[in-house]
Structures are given as C-alpha cells and as structure tokens.
Amino acid sequence: YMQREEKYCYIEDYFRFRRLVQLLHLDSKASLSFENNDPSLKLVILNEEEADEVSDHLLENFFPFEPLAMHLQLNLEDEIRPWLRSLISHQLSQGLSVGLRDQLNENLLVGVSVNEDVTRNQNEITMKSCITEDYSKMKQIIHMINLLYDSEDMLDVLEVERAIHICMVSVKQEYGGQGIAKRLLEHTETLAADKGIIAFFAEATGNYSAAAFIKKGFKIFKELPYKEYEFNGEKPFGDMKKHNALRLVTKKLKI
C-alpha cells in the first residue's frame, strides 16, 4: 500500500499510479491517439450503435453529479433512463459526438462529449420531445432551460447558419484530473471545424462547468439565477448552495 502523511492515499492516486504502470508497458502502436497526452486514450467519433453504452456512461458518470439532478434527487432509472436513449441515439447519428476509450482497459469508454448539429428548419429532437411520461421534476429542468433561451435563435445570436450544441460532457470519475474534458472540447471543435462549423453553445448548470467552458474561450451570453427561477409559484432551486445560476455559454472560432 501507499501512504501519505501516515494516512492511506486517496483512491484517485491509486488510479494514477496504476495508469503510470500501464503506460510503461504500453505497445507503441497506441501512439495513434493523442500527441503529448496519455497514448492509451484513443479518440473516437461516436455513432448511433453506441447509444446504449453512452447512455449507461451518462447515467453512471454525468447525471449523478449534475447539479440540477442532484438537487431534485432524480431517480435516474425511472426519470431519466426511459427517454435518454432516444435523445442520445439521435445526437450520435449526426456523427459529431466524440469519446475517449482506454485501450489498456478493454476499450472502456472513459469520456464523452455528446453534441448536436443545429441547422435552420431542422426537426430538432430535444429532451422535451423525448419525454412522453409525466416526470414532474424533469419538467422543472426543461422549463428553466426553455426560459433561459427565451425563444432565442442561437444561429441568429451567433450569426451563422450552422452551430454545435454541446449537450453533455462527461468523464468517468476515476479518470478525472487528466484533462479529459478539455480534450473532448478541443476535439469537438476540430471535428466541427473540419465540417465548416465554427460556432458553439452550451448550457452550464454548475459553477464548475461554467468555469471550464470559460477557460476554453466560451463567453457567458445569458444567465438565470437559481434563486429567482419560479415553477408553479415555487422556487425549486432557491436553496442551492454550491451553484448560483444556469448559464448559456457561446463561442466562435476565429477564421
């Protein structure tokens, strides 16, 4: 075992140590992935056939830690799983979502950026359209997101004909602290730019995710303070502690 100041080290230290040992034995063929990054983590473009795997990843690594879902104590199996796959399947079918797989751990999916290609006059599939049952807690979240946009046409806001909506960015917990979310955003931008798309937008539900987007060059276009949001005469997020607003963030690449 390893010790630090007469205490057992944190579990993430163990994973980092294990990763170092694995890399020392890594086959040179794995260098086909990231330059100057962990060569065992391979970038992939996600497709519709991986919808079940991506959904499971999000249910394990995204929603349990997403501030709004945590605050409302959503039952993931009953209130998210029933509609999640339909939404994910649509988004992955567009070929603009990316993931990272660990080649040293049975090609495990360790991070995803689920993205949507937004164009004019498209038949958009959203959370609202995928939810057919009466999930009252989810309705609060959807209502607040709709209120944040307030009928804004993001293509007009960004002055483009096509944009990427970064819907969900998720990293498996034991792989945290390795800059994986940053890489996913970078590769989303690269993939989009190759297709002539230079504009991006996303909702940041927590202070930490907002800070991560800002660090990558996004700007806050609009925000809705949680203490001010009302749903059916109540303020469901008025007593949130660590996070204070839902934010809409945007970015345009320089050309």
Side-chain angles (χ1 to χ4, degrees):
Y1 58 87
M2 295 178 289
Q3 290 180 310
R4 177 186 296 163
E5 297 179 355
E6 300 181 354
K7 295 181 179 179
Y8 294 116
C9 70
Y10 297 107
I11 188 67
E12 56 263 30
D13 289 337
Y14 161 73
F15 283 109
R16 291 190 180 105
F17 177 76
R18 187 183 70 175
R19 167 70 51 197
L20 177 60
V21 173
Q22 290 174 326
L23 288 174
L24 291 174
H25 297 87
L26 182 64
D27 190 297
S28 61
K29 293 180 181 179
S31 62
L32 293 173
S33 55
F34 294 111
E35 294 182 5
N36 302 321
N37 288 310
D38 186 340
S40 73
L41 298 181
K42 180 182 179 182
L43 172 70
V44 294
I45 298 174
L46 300 169
N47 60 63
E48 192 173 359
E49 294 179 355
E50 297 166 292
D52 285 330
E53 186 181 11
V54 173
S55 297
D56 287 342
H57 170 92
L58 294 169
L59 286 166
E60 178 184 350
N61 302 286
F62 179 79
F63 288 103
F65 310 102
E66 192 281 313
L68 303 183
M70 287 180 64
H71 186 76
L72 294 178
Q73 298 181 328
L74 292 184
N75 184 309
L76 305 184
E77 291 299 319
D78 294 340
E79 297 178 277
I80 294 180
R81 185 181 288 278
W83 56 263
L84 181 61
R85 192 193 185 284
S86 296
L87 180 65
I88 297 301
S89 179
H90 160 70
Q91 291 163 338
L92 299 191
S93 70
Q94 297 180 323
L96 286 166
S97 296
V98 298
L100 281 171
R101 292 190 177 278
D102 186 351
Q103 298 177 103
L104 294 179
N105 192 3
E106 300 179 342
N107 235 22
L108 179 68
L109 186 64
V110 303
V112 300
S113 180
V114 179
N115 309 312
E116 182 159 16
D117 187 1
V118 178
T119 59
R120 296 191 187 277
N121 302 317
Q122 67 178 12
N123 293 320
E124 187 178 7
I125 296 180
T126 63
M127 275 195 300
K128 184 177 181 179
S129 65
C130 289
I131 296 176
T132 57
E133 302 296 331
D134 184 17
Y135 301 120
S136 58
K137 292 181 180 179
M138 279 304 307
K139 283 185 176 180
Q140 296 175 29
I141 295 176
I142 294 170
H143 178 262
M144 182 166 56
I145 292 174
N146 289 340
L147 192 61
L148 177 71
Y149 281 92
D150 191 26
S151 301
E152 293 279 7
D153 185 326
M154 294 309 297
L155 298 181
D156 288 341
V157 169
L158 293 164
E159 299 179 328
V160 293
E161 294 300 312
R162 192 178 179 190
I164 294 296
H165 178 197
I166 301 174
C167 303
M168 287 172 275
V169 180
S170 171
V171 177
K172 199 168 181 63
Q173 275 211 304
E174 55 263 41
Y175 288 78
Q178 301 182 44
I180 289 177
K182 174 176 176 287
R183 300 181 201 177
L184 290 168
L185 290 176
E186 289 173 349
H187 284 285
T188 290
E189 292 181 5
T190 299
L191 179 61
D194 287 344
K195 297 179 180 296
I197 307 172
I198 62 168
F200 307 83
F201 65 96
E203 305 93 29
T205 59
N207 293 351
Y208 308 134
S209 57
F213 277 116
I214 291 171
K215 190 173 182 179
K216 284 301 300 170
F218 283 74
K219 296 181 180 180
I220 297 175
F221 173 69
K222 187 185 293 185
E223 66 178 30
L224 176 59
Y226 290 131
K227 65 180 181 181
E228 296 179 8
Y229 169 70
E230 291 190 10
F231 183 81
N232 290 340
E234 299 182 355
K235 294 185 177 182
F237 305 107
D239 58 346
M240 288 189 72
K241 305 297 184 194
K242 295 182 179 179
H243 309 281
N244 54 29
L246 172 65
R247 297 175 175 89
L248 178 57
V249 296
T250 63
K251 180 177 181 178
K252 285 184 73 173
L253 302 179
K254 295 180 180 179
I255 53 176

